[in-house]
Amino acid sequence: MAKTFPISLLSFCLLLHFFFGKCLSSPLAPALYVFGDSLVDSGNNDFLNTSAKANYNPYGIDFPPGPTGRFTNGKTFADFLAKYLGLPFAPPFLGLSEDQKSETITGMNYASGSAGILRETGSAIGTNLALEIQIELFQETVKNYLPKKFKTKNELLQYLSKSIFVVDIGSNDYLNNYLQPAHYTSSQLYSPVQFAGVLVKKIKESLQDIYNLGARKFLVFNIAPIGCTPALLSVENITSGCVEDANQLVSLYNEGLTEMLQDLGTSLQGSTFVQAEFYASSYDVIQNLYKYGFTSRSPCCSVNASTAQCYPDVQPCQDRTTHIYWDAVHPSQQSNFLFATGCFLGSSQCTPLNILQLTQKQ
Ligand SMILES: *[C@@H]1O[C@H](CO)[C@@H](O)[C@H](O)[C@H]1NC(C)=O
Ligand SMILES: *[C@@H]1O[C@H](CO)[C@@H](O)[C@H](O)[C@H]1NC(C)=O
Ligand SMILES: *[C@@H]1O[C@H](CO)[C@@H](O)[C@H](O)[C@H]1NC(C)=O
């Protein structure tokens, strides 16, 4: 029953893409545009007045030459995805000069730590780029910068329709909004079911706005089981299991999101919506950590309980590949690697298509 797998030029190229992020042939998509929060921020918050920053040691300890503003020890999900697509890491929009903005056609990153689907989310800890502001910056990109690199409107639209658009946002609408009644009124105004509905309606409008600017291929994340993060475990003084009340809150959103993405995929002509099953995949890793090569659910770095982030300049754990979490809320590079790899090539992390299949869709 032995089967042979001839290595065609294509799959050889894919292997090169996969392991080295490059190949002699062209990238699998012309660009990667990233919207979201600290899970994928590549440095935008370095330029904002906020305490949600990660541009200090030990953040970036596995990202030579060091801290960039990424909220993890190394690469984010978006970085791995860029590598697999054969593209450079999407640079933070706020860090680019006018000339760089005009020259960059391989994608940009608008994500911002503490940002949410709702404008007020995260405002108690400073300024951020809420999702609708990120879309305004993308609009600026499409209207002011990209046209300089394309001869015709049609060429620009072709390019946008083949590019990949990642939207990874929503956990702050709970962690830095609904679950913080001292700073935000949302939990007085809305029941959990109503609040999930508000978020789904709002992100739907945002996705339509991105579509109207030319995007066709979307990857949209659902929200991770925030009740399993070290931050929430320590608030509740528990050392095992998860805070299931918090998980149930985000599950309401996740149910609505799945249904909404299916609707959008049929109503927006030419669009494809892939959902990143971040909740189920993360939950599986947390419940079966040894199976995935992890040994600890505790943060790798020493964490300031009031921010859930690493204390500056304190040496983190030695073996960072065995920790699911880097600080008290953010996944380690190793977690990002596992999820990105599965989403790119596997069948359960990203559905109904993986990203390789999404790039091949006409
Ligand atoms: C930054 O935010 C803090 C706290 O909200 C505020 O006191 C300060 O004036 C702000 N700084 C600037 C330069 O806007
Ligand atoms: C957790 O423990 C701390 C200190 O022991 C205590 O002040 C706090 O009220 C506890 N929180 C809960 C939710 O039990
Ligand atoms: C923890 O973070 C808070 C908020 O930024 C800060 O005021 C406090 O000084 C930090 N604690 C320590 C021990 O650094």
Side-chain angles (χ1 to χ4, degrees), residues 51 304 306-307 311:
S51 58
N304 179 338
S306 71
T307 61
Y311 282 120

Side-chain angles (χ1 to χ4, degrees), residues 204-224:
K204 181 179 185 183
E205 290 164 6
S206 296
L207 293 171
Q208 283 169 319
D209 290 342
I210 301 173
Y211 172 91
N212 288 334
L213 289 166
R216 294 295 178 268
K217 296 182 177 187
F218 293 85
L219 172 64
V220 185
F221 274 64
N222 68 11
I223 302 179

Side-chain angles (χ1 to χ4, degrees), residues 230 239 289 295-301 317 322-328:
T239 53
L289 66 168
T295 59
S296 176
R297 287 182 58 185
S298 305
C300 168
C301 70
C317 69
T322 58
H323 284 251
I324 298 176
Y325 293 98
W326 161 246
D327 59 19

Side-chain angles (χ1 to χ4, degrees), residues 39 65 72 76 124 126 140 152 187 211 218 231 279 281 308 343 347:
L39 292 167
T72 185
T76 66
E140 202 180 311
T152 66
S187 62
Y211 172 91
F218 293 85
Y279 186 100
S281 299
C343 181
S347 58

